[in-house]
Amino acid sequence: MSAALQEPVVDGAPAPVCEVVDLVKHFGPVRAVDGISLHVDPGTVVALVGESGSGKSTVGRLIVRLLEPTSGTVRLNGVDVSSLTRRAMRPHRRTVSIVFQDPASSLDPRMTVGAIVGEPLRLHGASSSQRAERVGEMLEKVGLRRGVAGRYAHELSGGQRQRVSIARALVSRPSLLVADEPTSALDVSVQASVLNLLADLQRDLGFACLFITHDLAAVEYLADEVAVMYLGKLAERAPRERIFTAPRHPYTQALLSAAPVPDPPTQRSRRRVVLSGDIPSSLSPPSGCRFHTRCPVAVDRCTTEVPDLREAGGSLVACHLVADDGTGPDVRRVE
Amino acid sequence: MSAPATGAAADLLSGDAEEPLLRVRDLTVGFRTEDGPVSAVDHVSFDARAGELLAVVGESGCGKSVAAMALSGLLARNATVSGSVRLGGRELVGASPDQLRAVRGKEIAYIFQEPMTSLNPVFTVGRQVAEVLRVHEGMSRTQALDRAVELLDLVGIPHPRERLRQYPHQLSGGLRQRVMIAMAVACDPRVLVADEPTTALDVTVQAGILDVLRDLRDRLGAAIVLITHDLGVVADVADRVMVMYAGRVVERSEVDELFARPRHHYTVGLLGAVPSARVSGGEQRLREIPGLVPTLEQQPDACTFAARCPAADERCRSQEPPLAPAPQSSHEVACWHPAGTRPPGDRAPGDRAPGVAREESG
């Protein structure tokens, strides 16, 4: 594959910042990601949602090339980076950054905050005075004082550390930010401030974001589009509104109904779908549709035939039971 | 769904005739550390009643887990505990290790967050569940195994006999947590303390575990103390709620009342910080609580939330507000200027505190 595969800009519609095609990652026998295609358009937030073991974090790491794909393509701003050598990859690194879940373990304890945030600039050849200025600016953008540059990560609170991670990720002005569960390790009130910050920065700086999370409430707050993963495959992909108002895939429906809402009368009158069993191991994923072992509406065909992700009523859905116009079962109404 | 007809009103009469199952008064816990003393829990009082689920809510460092561990003397030796914990009329603070050992598991049992670290990896599930029964109930091996099958069935584990022969690593997270619950309820404890039991689990699995807790409350009539930071979980299963901040109880109420009319500004902030479909609509900003939870050497004679509170004044910084019945409502709040104190029936969104600037700087 080469840059010849670059997609032409049609009618002024911008090429996606990031596009993955048939992405596969196997760790030995573990099929963590098993054929995922998705794209993130400039300036949009795409949420990649799934439970533990769904492979969502692996997708994020493949996109920033912390991992090498087993097969498939990752394109950043139209350039296929999945087969580039480390050296050839380097200029593309500044177009994509990642923020991890736990800022305590992703910030070097021996480096000052200033050095941490300035490191991407140093690697991209900025002078030290340029760096100091950009670092100061960036710290202010994430709601920290410039003086924090001289401190060490362990002197900061969890919320402040995550702000430092975000500053480091955005200092080189990437066109794509991969945010992997950026608020999951934080307390509720601090989560709110980090989510607000991400929303503000995304609006001001205009980067595209792949927001990897299991927190549906945060998705509703931040995302433009939602992709739902289950056991290494996409179950559904749709604009935010449609995912929350008209989920098509039985797994999406179950996931939405299982997340409790913080309002007692509403929560207690909702019908919840309790899925039987746990997520199967990705060592030996079920045949056919991977969700069939827990799906309340599965039929024989689901156990043998893998459903393709296809257009159905304005969403992309991988389910045999959903018709082309999007009609299909709602597991929240099944006894 | 059963909401025992207790109500906050009865709760106000702390010295009522019938003593509750678990009666905690002025529980205070401090730690001696290398950096000096740290105060973790300050004069916490509450009751837990049979057939009722009490949720204890707060963020990390608020003292909720320490308070729970202190109930049956589970804390390390550098902890100093004072106050009173009465379980079925028996005083547990200051009880001997032998007395406490007899109570733990049998009268009061615990479920912790991470089931993998609480189960022994080298013994089968069956042996671990049976051990509880053999130690506390003096059952024989076969009796204990039969009872273990019943218990696994009770907590919704399919094929219990086969599961008993497996080791913890062969089970999924959700099944392990069910095994932990089965062990906790093996001796029909009267009080079950569940410390973030679903935090490590996925939502589709969490729903099932919450159903088990609900079922134990209703079927076994246990008093359940559920410690959590997840307000969605509270809204789902709690009968009453106690909100803790920096070691103190700041608000306590029946669940619907707390969510509908939060009185403490910290509770207001917490509820506003959670993104939710109906609250945010994807547009509105989330509420932030500025500043950080303080680490306290000693509890000040002041409101510990004053530094982060939009309504704080001089009095809040110089005088500790007692936990007292809130004006025009049936619940208790420790605040000199409770939120939403306006004519009854007025439930405008303005009930919530005015917007606040930004969390933590520098």
Side-chain angles (χ1 to χ4, degrees):
Chain A
M1 306 234 174
S2 73
L5 270 176
Q6 227 181 76
E7 280 186 326
V9 177
V10 186
D11 291 340
V17 172
C18 165
E19 187 175 24
V20 306
V21 181
D22 289 331
L23 197 60
V24 173
K25 179 64 184 176
H26 293 173
F27 298 99
V30 178
R31 293 150 74 175
V33 175
D34 221 7
I36 293 265
S37 299
L38 60 82
H39 60 92
V40 184
D41 290 329
T44 64
V45 180
V46 174
L48 188 57
V49 181
E51 299 182 282
S52 44
S54 62
K56 58 189 190 299
S57 289
T58 305
V59 171
R61 283 166 164 74
L62 288 165
I63 288 172
V64 299
R65 277 207 60 191
L66 283 174
L67 293 172
E68 302 291 322
T70 305
S71 67
T73 312
V74 176
R75 265 179 239 145
L76 296 177
N77 296 309
V79 180
D80 178 1
V81 297
S82 40
S83 51
L84 296 181
T85 62
R86 289 177 75 91
R87 178 176 287 273
M89 177 66 200
R90 206 166 288 159
H92 299 284
R93 290 239 179 246
R94 67 188 308 170
T95 67
V96 52
S97 320
I98 186 164
V99 172
F100 297 99
Q101 172 171 348
D102 180 9
S105 58
S106 56
L107 300 177
D108 189 327
R110 294 165 307 178
M111 286 167 77
T112 62
V113 166
I116 289 171
V117 175
E119 195 174 30
L121 296 174
R122 193 171 58 78
L123 298 178
H124 297 127
S127 74
S128 75
S129 59
Q130 282 174 322
R131 284 206 308 268
E133 183 48 35
R134 288 280 293 127
V135 167
E137 252 173 54
M138 204 60 230
L139 288 174
E140 283 182 351
K141 273 211 166 61
V142 299
L144 297 170
R145 286 201 300 261
R146 281 175 180 247
V148 172
R151 314 254 298 263
Y152 290 89
H154 70 86
E155 298 175 76
L156 308 178
S157 70
Q160 289 170 327
R161 281 187 208 133
Q162 199 56 299
R163 285 166 190 266
V164 171
S165 310
I166 292 170
R168 171 180 61 184
L170 296 179
V171 75
S172 58
R173 299 280 166 116
S175 46
L176 176 69
L177 176 72
V178 176
D180 189 359
E181 301 266 14
T183 60
S184 303
L186 306 173
D187 267 323
V188 179
S189 66
V190 184
Q191 274 181 19
S193 67
V194 171
L195 288 174
N196 281 340
L197 175 69
L198 280 173
D200 293 346
L201 290 170
Q202 200 267 330
R203 205 171 36 241
D204 296 349
L205 304 176
F207 54 85
C209 180
L210 183 70
F211 180 50
I212 299 170
T213 185
H214 69 279
D215 182 352
L216 290 163
V219 168
E220 179 143 34
Y221 178 66
L222 216 56
D224 300 306
E225 291 227 30
V226 183
V228 180
M229 268 188 94
Y230 187 79
L231 272 182
K233 284 189 175 296
L234 282 186
E236 181 163 2
R237 163 147 205 217
R240 176 190 65 206
E241 276 292 303
R242 196 165 300 127
I243 282 279
F244 285 93
T245 55
R248 310 284 192 205
H249 196 287
Y251 177 63
T252 313
Q253 294 166 354
L255 200 60
L256 285 172
S257 92
V261 297
D263 180 64
T266 316
Q267 174 58 23
R268 292 174 192 216
S269 59
R270 291 169 84 211
R271 275 216 51 166
R272 296 175 314 135
V273 183
V274 176
L275 293 177
S276 58
D278 288 308
I279 300 176
S281 160
S282 42
L283 268 171
S284 50
S287 61
C289 171
R290 297 193 168 183
F291 185 57
H292 86 256
T293 54
R294 301 172 76 200
C295 182
V297 292
V299 297
D300 283 350
R301 184 182 174 197
C302 306
T303 63
T304 52
E305 199 179 318
V306 180
D308 288 326
L309 191 69
R310 62 178 182 30
E311 169 115 24
S315 304
L316 293 172
V317 189
C319 176
H320 294 309
L321 300 170
V322 177
D324 287 344
D325 63 356
T327 54
D330 189 337
V331 297
R332 296 168 295 183
R333 302 215 170 74
V334 171
E335 279 308 312
Chain B
M1 201 112 347
S2 87
T6 42
D11 193 30
L12 303 179
L13 315 162
S14 48
D16 50 1
E18 203 180 328
E19 185 164 317
L21 210 47
L22 178 71
R23 185 174 180 277
V24 178
R25 289 295 176 271
D26 293 321
L27 183 66
T28 300
V29 184
F31 292 97
R32 293 179 302 270
T33 72
E34 283 179 13
D35 300 328
V38 175
S39 164
V41 176
D42 182 41
H43 292 91
V44 165
S45 300
F46 66 91
D47 296 335
R49 306 194 189 91
E52 185 182 74
L53 198 150
L54 171 69
V56 182
V57 181
E59 299 182 281
S60 39
C62 73
K64 56 193 194 297
S65 293
V66 170
M69 307 264 277
L71 295 177
S72 69
L74 283 176
L75 294 170
R77 268 199 227 127
N78 67 338
T80 49
V81 180
S82 64
S84 163
V85 175
R86 292 178 70 81
L87 176 57
R90 212 169 345 162
E91 179 59 50
L92 298 187
V93 173
S96 73
D98 280 345
Q99 287 170 319
L100 286 173
R101 208 170 297 128
V103 168
R104 278 184 221 131
K106 206 161 160 52
E107 305 274 325
I108 181 169
Y110 289 81
I111 306 163
F112 295 104
Q113 175 172 340
E114 193 18 88
M116 196 59 211
T117 52
S118 320
L119 288 169
N120 191 328
V122 301
F123 294 118
T124 61
V125 167
R127 174 151 172 183
Q128 295 183 64
V129 179
E131 182 187 12
V132 184
L133 295 161
R134 298 184 67 189
V135 169
H136 283 293
E137 308 282 328
M139 288 186 186
S140 73
R141 214 172 145 262
T142 45
Q143 274 178 321
L145 280 175
D146 285 344
R147 174 78 180 130
V149 171
E150 288 172 26
L151 287 165
L152 260 50
D153 191 50
L154 177 75
V155 297
I157 297 180
H159 316 297
R161 258 180 214 286
E162 288 81 81
R163 290 298 183 188
L164 284 178
R165 285 194 290 271
Q166 291 188 308
Y167 290 87
H169 76 267
Q170 294 172 296
L171 307 182
S172 66
L175 281 180
R176 278 184 218 133
Q177 195 57 292
R178 284 173 197 260
V179 169
M180 288 305 300
I181 298 175
M183 287 169 69
V185 299
C187 305
D188 294 329
R190 297 196 283 173
V191 178
L192 184 63
V193 181
D195 191 352
E196 302 273 7
T198 59
T199 305
L201 305 175
D202 285 317
V203 283
T204 57
V205 178
Q206 166 174 286
I209 298 289
L210 294 179
D211 281 347
V212 172
L213 289 182
R214 223 189 309 263
D215 192 50
L216 292 174
R217 172 194 65 190
D218 298 343
R219 277 212 285 172
L220 307 182
I224 299 183
V225 179
L226 172 69
I227 296 167
T228 183
H229 70 280
D230 187 332
L231 293 163
V233 169
V234 174
D236 194 2
V237 296
D239 297 310
R240 282 192 306 141
V241 188
M242 177 162 106
V243 182
M244 284 186 74
Y245 182 79
R248 291 177 183 164
V249 177
V250 295
E251 182 157 16
R252 180 163 50 199
S253 155
E254 177 271 325
V255 65
D256 288 340
E257 170 73 15
L258 186 95
F259 280 81
R261 280 174 292 278
R263 294 300 192 207
H264 199 283
H265 295 280
Y266 176 63
T267 316
V268 172
L270 268 190
L271 290 173
V274 187
S276 97
R278 285 149 302 92
V279 175
S280 76
E283 307 301 330
Q284 210 178 310
R285 280 178 75 78
L286 303 174
R287 182 183 304 281
E288 302 178 13
I289 304 177
L292 297 171
V293 180
T295 309
L296 299 168
E297 278 182 34
Q298 54 186 29
Q299 292 284 343
D301 187 10
C303 171
T304 46
F305 188 61
R308 306 174 71 188
C309 181
D313 64 8
E314 209 28 63
R315 189 183 191 190
C316 307
R317 288 183 275 272
S318 60
Q319 210 179 342
E320 180 185 342
L323 188 67
Q328 296 159 15
S329 101
S330 59
H331 70 262
E332 299 162 281
V333 60
C335 179
W336 294 121
H337 312 289
T341 355
R342 45 177 71 196
D346 185 349
R347 264 214 254 166
D351 257 13
R352 306 199 159 177
V356 283
R358 125 164 298 169
E359 186 225 11
E360 43 188 84
S361 51

